[in-house]
């Protein structure tokens, strides 16, 4: 079985973060491992607290897991501060980890700040150059460049992000009019179309997408095919999302289609 590691933050409500990543890994048929860099006290309503671990805590989890289990791909999610990002980049580089998907999580749907502002440069200088794919949403893509989101300039934005060193950029479309993801691999732009479900159960959609992308790269698909497949997994997780869980935006349900008719 292929092995994929999530390097990210815990969501106690289990809709996003490490918990969403592990559910997506199961959905995609890989063995998931994790390094927890920080933890949130969080529900469907919002984030009440964030506690970041010292960077070495994450480094030791990666070293321990990789030297036994190994990894065919890794995804990074919420990394919260510059010290953690820098330590993760150094460890990914030291172990030459393959198929690195970087989801530069910055702000939760609820508005909570999930990345300290002074950490943006560390992403750009240290982690993006090691990435196979980076997967910002449109708000994150422009925020990384210190700009306001503008759907007319999204291709320029992708080109600028590509120049920072990843092999490809996917600007996810969940927050745009068309809903398509935009893939740029340094040569061409590809629109990754997929169904857009008018549902509020989007908490964890970005995490599910980047995790699924890492899985499909681990499974040997090229970036474009992996992007199409990840889009399907993320859209389905929203479609099957769980309105009945909590009072806020319900969590996605990555296993919804597979579990249809079972239990519940
Ligand atoms: O969806 C981005 C995200 C990632 N990681 C954690 C989160 C969130 C959004 O709320 O809480 C832990």
């Amino acid at each position: 079985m292929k092995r994929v590691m999530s390097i990210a933050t815990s969501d106690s409500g289990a809709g996003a973060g490490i918990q969403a990543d592990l559910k997506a890994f199961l959905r995609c048929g890989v063995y998931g491992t994790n390094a927890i860099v920080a933890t949130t006290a969080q529900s469907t309503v919002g984030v009440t607290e964030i506690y970041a671990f010292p960077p070495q805590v994450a480094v030791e989890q990666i070293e321990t897991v990789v030297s036994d289990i190994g990894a065919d791909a890794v995804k990074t999610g919420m990394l919260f501060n510059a010290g953690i990002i820098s330590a993760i980049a150094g460890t990914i580089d030291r172990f030459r980890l393959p198929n690195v998907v970087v989801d530069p999580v910055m702000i939760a749907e609820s508005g909570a700040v999930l990345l300290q502002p002074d950490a943006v440069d560390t992403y750009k200088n240290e982690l993006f150059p090691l990435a196979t794919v980076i997967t910002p949403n449109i708000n994150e893509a422009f925020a990384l460049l210190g700009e306001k989101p503008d759907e007319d300039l999204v291709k320029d934005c992708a080109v600028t992000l590509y120049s920072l060193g990843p092999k490809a950029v996917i600007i996810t479309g969940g927050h745009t009019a068309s809903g398509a993801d935009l893939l740029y691999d340094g040569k061409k732009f590809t629109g990754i179309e997929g169904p857009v479900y008018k549902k509020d159960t989007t908490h964890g959609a970005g995490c599910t997408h980047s995790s699924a992308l890492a899985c499909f790269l681990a499974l040997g698909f090229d970036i474009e095919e992996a992007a199409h497949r990840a889009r399907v997994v993320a859209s389905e997780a929203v479609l099957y999302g769980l309105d009945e869980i909590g009072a806020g935006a319900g969590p996605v349900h990555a296993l919804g289609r597979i579990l249809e008719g079972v239990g519940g």
Side-chain angles (χ1 to χ4, degrees):
M1 196 177 235
K2 296 294 184 187
R3 306 138 304 166
V4 181
M5 176 170 235
S6 164
I7 304 168
T9 291
S10 170
D11 169 0
S12 52
I18 288 269
Q19 290 80 4
D21 296 347
L22 290 171
K23 286 182 252 188
F25 294 162
L26 194 57
R27 159 68 182 82
C28 297
V30 310
Y31 185 78
T33 60
N34 55 263
I36 303 187
V37 308
T39 190
T40 58
Q42 180 172 184
S43 67
T44 65
V45 179
V47 177
T48 48
E49 277 302 341
I50 299 172
Y51 296 97
F53 297 129
Q56 188 58 20
V57 174
V59 171
E60 281 170 20
Q61 292 172 80
I62 300 169
E63 284 172 354
T64 303
V65 167
V66 168
S67 55
D68 171 35
I69 297 171
D72 300 295
V74 296
K75 73 131 302 178
T76 66
M78 174 182 161
L79 299 181
F80 191 58
N81 66 36
I84 292 172
I85 297 168
S86 186
I88 299 303
T91 311
I92 287 174
D93 195 31
R94 183 154 53 91
F95 283 96
R96 301 261 174 271
L97 296 177
N99 297 316
V100 178
V101 175
V102 173
D103 185 9
V105 172
M106 297 176 84
I107 298 179
E109 300 269 341
S110 62
V113 175
L114 305 181
L115 180 73
Q116 293 183 342
D118 68 352
V120 167
D121 283 345
T122 317
Y123 258 125
K124 289 157 77 171
N125 297 332
E126 298 185 34
L127 196 48
F128 287 179
L130 302 174
T132 310
V133 190
I134 64 170
T135 63
N137 63 36
I138 187 166
N139 297 322
E140 291 160 348
F142 282 91
L144 285 163
L145 305 180
E147 293 169 11
K148 285 207 168 60
D150 182 342
E151 286 193 36
D152 295 334
L153 298 176
V154 73
K155 285 188 174 173
D156 297 336
C157 180
V159 171
T160 308
L161 290 173
Y162 175 82
S163 74
L164 299 171
K167 288 202 178 61
V169 177
I170 297 176
I171 300 183
T172 59
H175 300 77
T176 67
S178 80
D181 300 338
L182 177 71
L183 165 64
Y184 180 63
D185 64 1
K187 294 189 201 78
K188 67 178 167 74
F189 295 99
T190 309
I192 310 291
E193 310 282 341
V196 180
Y197 300 113
K198 293 274 168 256
K199 294 201 62 178
D200 293 335
T201 50
T202 53
H203 182 56
C207 304
T208 301
H209 173 266
S210 52
S211 295
L213 183 65
C215 292
F216 292 122
L217 294 174
L219 289 163
F221 295 104
D222 64 26
I223 292 173
E224 188 174 329
E225 181 60 26
H228 281 288
R229 287 174 184 252
R231 172 62 196 236
V232 170
V233 170
S235 294
E236 262 179 28
V238 173
L239 176 65
Y240 285 87
L242 301 167
D243 291 305
E244 71 275 27
I245 300 294
V252 295
H253 188 19
L255 288 159
R257 191 174 66 76
I258 288 169
L259 293 177
E260 215 166 17
V262 178

